[in-house]
Amino acid sequence: MDLFQKCYDFEAADMGRAIGVYPFFKSMEHCFGPQAIYNGRRVIVICSNDYLGLTNDSRVKQAAKQATDRLGTGCTGSRLLNGNTIIHDQLEREFADFLGKEDALVFSTGFLTNYGVISCLAEKGSFIISDTENHGSIVAGCRGSRATTVKYHHNDMSDLKKVLGELPQDSAKLIVTDGVFSMSGDIVDLNELITIKKQFPGTYLYLDDAHGIGVLGDQGRGTANYFGLTEGVDLIMATLSKSFASIGGIVTGPRKIIDYIRHHSQGFILSAAIPPASAAAALKALEIMKTEPQIFDRLWQNTSYIHDGFRRLGLSYIESKMPIISIFVGDEGKAVQLVKALFERDVFATPVLYPAVPYGQAVIRTSFTASHTTEDLDKVLKAFGEVAPEFGILKSQTEVPKKFVHRARAWNFDALFNSKEV
Ligand SMILES: Cc1ncc(COP(=O)(O)O)c(C=O)c1O
């Protein structure tokens, strides 16, 4: 068996490029907030996670520039050793305060935060109890730990209770869940989850709130705050790569737990710090969230406008309350053709394919921001209105599956381009 053979055999991406339907790695040439130039074409972007539209905010950009002038472009090492700055420290203090927790720790990405915290805390002999639709970085953290991972059905609290009941009573347990699930926009049933957690002593809760913080709750304080249950969540994780207009991840919680992670997590210790510009951008974004509540009003107005529009068009999409709306397509080939048709109408959307969703259940995940104008949203609705019947994405043509169940079929990327629909 040759290690590299699979790489030589992998032809799907080249085929996709050759026939002009390859949907990935589009290179942005210029950014104007919710619009950008790709391939010389100005398009409305509906696939970013820039929920508050702050990545192109002049104050955020200015903060990043000032930090670069003062501290340089990179940190050239781990924060533990040489890579820490006063801006990282300030960001942690302000973030912990914002979320009502004692302490916080900034990692280099959200992925590394999940990986680094879960693998560091859940040791051999302990159990991680994980929602089946948790983000891949949580799955990586579970695999990287030496604990046993058991899964419960997506957001199904009676299954969680059953799973917990089957574990040894005196074992160490960590429940891990997304606050807002990134593909469906589902919000975790936190009330019930915390009620159940309390019935099993020695069980802690880690909340990945990458899509909740900066969106939900009082001025973006996230899912736990939205439910009024911050105290009931032991550790809350956020990413800086979405509403915070930057890059990095952050975990907040009790001082002693965070300090342990600070000195033991490989994902933290063995990776270089985010640049000062990134820390400063996130800090400025946080300041804007705390002082300008109207930015959230705009986000929610746009969210309800687009939900109403999609409903009026009769699109088949996963119901959610969030600015994330996933339109169900099914066939992978059809999904890549659909995003091409949208791009030709100046709308940039991306397909979400296996393994991010189950095989044969491709979706177009759209997301909307505070900075989209009504005119942008109307153009998006017009484009969907034009392509929907041809691609069979109307409710009258296709139904969203009740559950996103992985089919027992190994993914072969080639299926994307061998699909009968292409
Ligand atoms: C739920 C969730 N957790 C974690 C991450 C990883 O965050 P980052 O992009 O900052 O690495 C993402 C990113 O998409 C996410 O959606």
Side-chain angles (χ1 to χ4, degrees):
M1 201 172 95
D2 187 307
L3 199 66
F4 285 178
Q5 194 54 46
K6 57 183 171 290
C7 314
Y8 296 116
D9 292 343
F10 172 62
E11 286 180 340
D14 280 338
M15 277 169 60
R17 291 182 189 107
I19 60 173
V21 295
Y22 183 75
F24 306 121
F25 293 98
K26 278 199 171 49
S27 308
M28 189 194 284
E29 292 154 35
H30 212 111
C31 175
F32 305 101
Q35 298 195 0
I37 297 185
Y38 289 86
N39 300 351
R41 185 186 273 272
R42 187 165 174 141
V43 291
I44 301 161
V45 180
I46 57 164
C47 48
S48 84
N49 295 296
D50 185 17
Y51 295 117
L52 299 180
L54 293 175
T55 53
N56 214 37
D57 184 283
S58 56
R59 297 160 296 176
V60 175
K61 290 199 281 194
Q62 187 58 23
K65 283 178 200 158
Q66 280 171 355
T68 303
D69 287 344
R70 179 173 175 184
L71 292 156
T73 51
C75 290
T76 75
S78 164
R79 294 188 51 214
L80 183 81
L81 303 171
N82 63 310
N84 200 33
T85 73
I86 54 169
I87 305 183
H88 294 81
D89 292 341
Q90 189 185 347
L91 179 59
E92 287 177 348
R93 278 196 309 274
E94 294 203 11
F95 220 95
D97 184 54
F98 180 62
L99 293 191
K101 294 289 181 193
E102 279 177 7
D103 202 356
L105 185 66
V106 171
F107 285 66
S108 305
T109 65
F111 186 103
L112 264 184
T113 311
N114 281 339
Y115 180 84
V117 174
I118 296 169
S119 63
C120 165
L121 290 180
E123 64 216 342
K124 196 167 181 191
S126 60
F127 291 91
I128 302 168
I129 305 98
S130 178
D131 185 294
T132 47
E133 283 189 22
N134 275 342
H135 190 259
S137 50
I138 292 177
V139 177
C142 295
R143 289 192 182 137
S145 87
R146 300 182 67 214
T148 304
T149 301
V150 285
K151 293 195 175 179
Y152 62 95
H153 299 316
H154 172 54
N155 220 359
D156 180 340
M157 295 306 137
S158 55
D159 196 43
L160 170 66
K161 189 169 179 179
K162 181 170 158 279
V163 166
L164 279 167
E166 286 163 0
L167 298 178
Q169 252 187 19
D170 57 353
S171 58
K173 304 175 200 69
L174 181 68
I175 302 172
V176 182
T177 180
D178 284 0
V180 174
F181 291 83
S182 54
M183 287 302 141
S184 58
D186 289 349
I187 302 173
V188 66
D189 184 354
L190 197 59
N191 256 319
E192 192 56 23
L193 193 153
I194 290 178
T195 306
I196 292 169
K197 168 187 176 282
K198 285 184 185 154
Q199 295 165 13
F200 295 88
T203 305
Y204 294 101
L205 173 58
Y206 178 86
L207 186 74
D208 169 351
D209 213 13
H211 297 271
I213 291 170
V215 177
L216 276 181
D218 177 27
Q219 284 169 273
R221 285 177 172 80
T223 307
N225 174 279
Y226 170 77
F227 284 100
L229 288 170
T230 299
E231 299 246 312
V233 183
D234 301 289
L235 293 166
I236 302 180
M237 170 273 182
T239 175
L240 304 179
S241 66
K242 304 187 195 303
S243 288
F244 290 86
S246 186
I247 182 83
I250 192 157
V251 61
T252 64
R255 191 187 74 77
K256 285 298 280 180
I257 316 303
I258 299 297
D259 209 38
Y260 179 87
I261 299 167
R262 187 178 275 129
H263 294 97
H264 292 83
S265 168
Q266 298 211 343
F268 176 73
I269 294 170
L270 302 181
S271 192
I274 56 170
S278 305
L283 202 48
K284 183 53 84 175
L286 180 58
E287 184 190 315
I288 293 171
M289 283 180 214
K290 289 195 284 194
T291 53
E292 295 181 15
Q294 61 276 20
I295 199 169
F296 293 98
D297 297 340
R298 286 206 300 279
L299 174 66
W300 293 111
Q301 277 155 14
N302 282 349
T303 301
S304 89
Y305 191 85
I306 202 75
H307 274 275
D308 287 349
F310 279 177
R311 201 170 300 124
R312 267 200 315 277
L313 287 177
L315 296 186
S316 182
Y317 60 87
I318 304 172
E319 293 289 345
S320 89
K321 296 189 177 122
M322 300 297 292
I324 302 168
I325 312 180
S326 286
I327 295 144
F328 183 70
V329 185
D331 182 86
E332 280 74 14
K334 198 158 70 170
V336 296
Q337 290 284 21
L338 174 54
V339 299
K340 187 170 180 239
L342 289 169
F343 195 77
E344 283 160 2
R345 287 165 178 77
D346 301 332
V347 173
F348 179 25
T350 46
V352 181
L353 310 172
Y354 183 92
V357 289
Y359 180 75
Q361 298 189 7
V363 298
I364 308 293
R365 178 191 183 275
T366 63
S367 49
F368 296 89
T369 74
S371 58
H372 281 111
T373 62
T374 307
E375 202 189 344
D376 290 332
L377 301 180
D378 286 338
K379 283 188 187 155
V380 171
L381 292 172
K382 181 166 179 284
F384 270 102
E386 284 168 12
V387 299
E390 181 193 343
F391 284 91
I393 54 168
L394 295 172
K395 261 194 183 133
S396 53
Q397 298 169 303
T398 185
E399 265 187 49
V400 179
K402 291 256 176 315
K403 272 192 177 176
F404 272 54
V405 183
H406 279 265
R407 290 186 197 151
R409 174 172 170 181
W411 167 243
N412 168 4
F413 195 87
D414 298 78
L416 175 57
F417 300 109
N418 293 336
S419 146
K420 58 182 182 311
E421 310 272 354
V422 170

